[in-house]
Amino acid sequence: MRRPQRPSPTPDDAEPVPVRGNLPAELDTFVGRDDELAELDALLRESRLVTVAGVAGVGKTRFASRAAALMEKRYCDGVWIAELSAVRDPELLEHALVAALGLTDHTHRPPRTVLVEHCADRSLLLVLDGFEHLRDVCAELVRELLRRAPRLRVLAAGRCPLRVDGELTFPLAPMADDDALELFTRRAAAVRQGFRLTDADRETARELCRRLDCIPLALELAAGRLRALTMEQVLHRLDDRFRLLTGGSPNALPRHQTLRTAIGWSHELCAPEQRLLWARLSVFAGQFDLEAVEYICSGGGLPADSVLDVLDELLAQSVVLREDSALGGRYRLLDTVREYGAEWLRATGDAERLRRRHRDWYLGLATWCELDWFSPRQADAAARIDSELPNLRQAMECSLESPDEIHLAQYLAGTLWFYWTGCGHLSEGRHWLDHVLAEESPHDHARLKALWVLGYVAVLQGDPVGAVSALQECREEGERSQDASAVAYAVHRTGCLSLVTDDAARAEELLREALTRYREIGELNSNVLMAQVELGMAVAFLGDLDGAEAICDEVREICEDHGERWAMAYALYVLGFVALQGGLSGRARRMLEEALAIGHTFDDLLGTALCLELLALITVVEGDATEAAVLQGAADRIWPSVGLPLFGSAHYGRPRLQCEERARTALGDARYDAARGAGRLLGTQAAVARALGSAVDAGAAPEAAPGGGRAGEKRRPAASRTTGRGGPELG
């Protein structure tokens, strides 16, 4: 089946697709600040680094996001926002930026290297929000990125400047009087149906805005009170509190104190159960959902069946914000509001208990998501972990604080193996696994699981020394402690290492041993299926194509029975390889296109690159040498983010050499090199879309290729709300 020839994606004939980046959608109307937006736009044309600085609550985040959205068309590689307030460990700053930019990197390269290389040849705007607690490390990273990436511009938003050479600071003042009045009126109308300012009460509203120094967060908190109070009552109560705190001189209020007063006043007007929930909500990092709130925050004066009603009251008062996501309705606290709640939680003496309940919930969540990974809910599990990553990080950090709970951090880092390895987060996974294993723990099983997961990650990163060290320790300690599961996984991943280092005979031996051990202990999951897939690849390399096909057909059947897609993609890859070796190029293409589409939904760059390599060979066999060279170029661009191209393996590399030889013969060196070079301009999404002959998903953010190459769209797993089931308290 010969596919129609397609033009090479050269800059001259490219059709640029607008890049939206990852800016959040505005859920309510942005009010005012037209002059400030124009001024900020001018500053960003003048300088490559501008910091919007101002007091807490003045609207820095919303203002920077609005400005970035207005400038979006100026940056062909997109506008990307990194929200850093939930990142507490400075070592995770670079990982957070990698995630914010939507990058997938399977190598053992430092995340800083990944960031620099990604930004080096791209025109993009990076928005850094809430960096002040990481200012020194953030400033040093921004300095290097700007030096190494000449078309990068950075818009930062925080309470202070970064203090980087060339930085321009834009002090964001509170709103102008008229803008403040409009904001208050709009937010009040959202809280109280039919609210409208009359001539009689307009001056009362203006006085209220003045009392709050026209600080947006303070205005929104005050507007939230109109659900229960009149404007005159709000002003009277606020005026009394100001006089109480300032000795009767509201005009002398510093703006920091004004905001704190407004938050404190809002807190004072809350019912006792609302104050209690506010304090307890401060244990969350980033977003959270209702089920987590009901488990973590209930009890001790707050019955579980009352949590929803109390949360609804805090939503109405603008203390808690609601945000829609692919997982359904989720909630968050603004940083300033969270900090205030955390102070009250510490004052109650209940902070440590709440942190442990938070940790226990997310241990349970990770456990259930690991189980759901081997089910039709696999994509949902990936999306859920992606959304909950700030809370999962916090849970690991909490467990690392006590020697008696190190094993819980090891358990959590190991349980997330499917996210680290299957969803393109090897670098952060390696960070956590190294971190938790640096601490001693008497709990063998948790430590051994973390060890084999570390070995697996190291194999995929192309780090055989690290892999052998972790897997050998896991096997030896597993045999000593009679942990049959740990030994089986260590043998399996050692066999995987043999496969990618071209010892196919040894790989077959170890993988058959691992599968026997899995059967003896009754283990069946995605890892076990991957052992079968890897065995199929090994026997195919040894020349037994029928045996490989039988092994992977069985994997395919099991995957279909269980709704498993990730391992299915790799089984289809092997079946495509076997079909191609047997001269069945049409069958091979069908297998590989399905594998490519599945793997791409999980951001699995390894599977994507492997499929593109074989599709290139199929394409040249079908007679389109130019398109084959383009696909090879697209794979070339991906491999640096995966590791050594085709593992440096002669077995895996043979199809590439065959493709190159045939395409060069058909095109000649110059045309072949030009087509392959054009393929290197394609981003991953564009490459996948091209290989599949259509856009992947018109509703997701695309990745633009340098030089304006044709961009496809990024496909994410379709996610529905899953049940977040927390396990029992573990400490």
Side-chain angles (χ1 to χ4, degrees), residues 615-688:
L615 282 167
L617 178 55
I618 293 170
T619 301
V620 76
V621 167
E622 293 173 346
D624 191 344
T626 301
E627 183 68 10
V630 169
L631 293 179
Q632 282 199 304
D636 289 343
R637 174 165 171 160
I638 294 173
W639 279 114
S641 294
V642 176
L644 195 61
L646 293 157
F647 313 108
S649 160
H651 287 308
Y652 278 99
R654 190 166 294 118
R656 170 191 270 195
L657 295 177
Q658 292 172 347
C659 179
E660 179 174 352
E661 181 179 350
R662 295 182 67 152
R664 278 192 186 277
T665 299
L667 299 174
D669 289 345
R671 289 175 60 201
Y672 172 82
D673 290 339
R676 190 159 178 172
R680 293 190 185 103
L681 297 178
L682 293 171
T684 303
Q685 284 73 36
V688 171

Side-chain angles (χ1 to χ4, degrees), residues 176-193:
D177 288 351
D178 288 345
D179 286 347
L181 181 62
E182 183 181 354
L183 177 67
F184 176 77
T185 304
R186 285 179 178 271
R187 299 302 183 255
V191 170
R192 197 169 82 194
Q193 187 174 5

Side-chain angles (χ1 to χ4, degrees), residues 61-211:
T61 298
R62 187 70 187 273
F63 178 71
S65 297
R66 177 66 170 179
L70 294 174
M71 303 174 195
E72 195 170 31
K73 293 180 180 178
R74 192 185 306 171
Y75 301 93
C76 64
D77 291 301
V79 175
W80 305 86
I81 186 168
E83 297 176 349
L84 303 178
S85 60
V87 180
R88 296 300 171 188
D89 183 351
E91 293 184 12
L92 291 176
L93 170 64
E94 293 161 5
H95 292 288
L97 292 189
V98 167
L101 285 165
L103 305 182
T104 303
D105 189 82
H106 289 275
T107 71
H108 193 29
R109 296 182 300 167
R112 176 168 300 205
T113 301
V114 175
L115 288 169
V116 168
E117 292 185 2
H118 176 78
C119 295
D121 59 353
R122 286 176 166 82
S123 170
L124 61 85
L125 176 65
L126 177 60
V127 183
L128 303 178
D129 181 38
F131 63 82
E132 48 271 342
H133 59 299
L134 303 167
R135 186 174 70 175
D136 290 344
V137 292
C138 195
E140 197 272 327
L141 176 58
V142 167
R143 188 179 295 113
E144 181 173 359
L145 288 175
L146 290 173
R147 182 173 59 85
R148 304 278 295 277
R151 295 196 294 160
L152 169 70
R153 289 181 185 259
V154 176
L155 175 59
R159 299 184 192 179
C160 55
L162 279 166
R163 296 180 183 170
V164 172
D165 290 344
E167 175 184 23
L168 295 181
T169 302
F170 182 90
L172 186 63
M175 302 184 81
D177 288 351
D178 288 345
D179 286 347
L181 181 62
E182 183 181 354
L183 177 67
F184 176 77
T185 304
R186 285 179 178 271
R187 299 302 183 255
V191 170
R192 197 169 82 194
Q193 187 174 5
F195 177 85
R196 185 173 304 167
L197 280 183
T198 65
D199 292 339
D201 57 20
R202 186 174 301 275
E203 190 54 38
T204 301
R206 286 189 180 278
E207 179 64 15
L208 180 60
C209 292
R210 284 195 292 270
R211 283 284 193 273

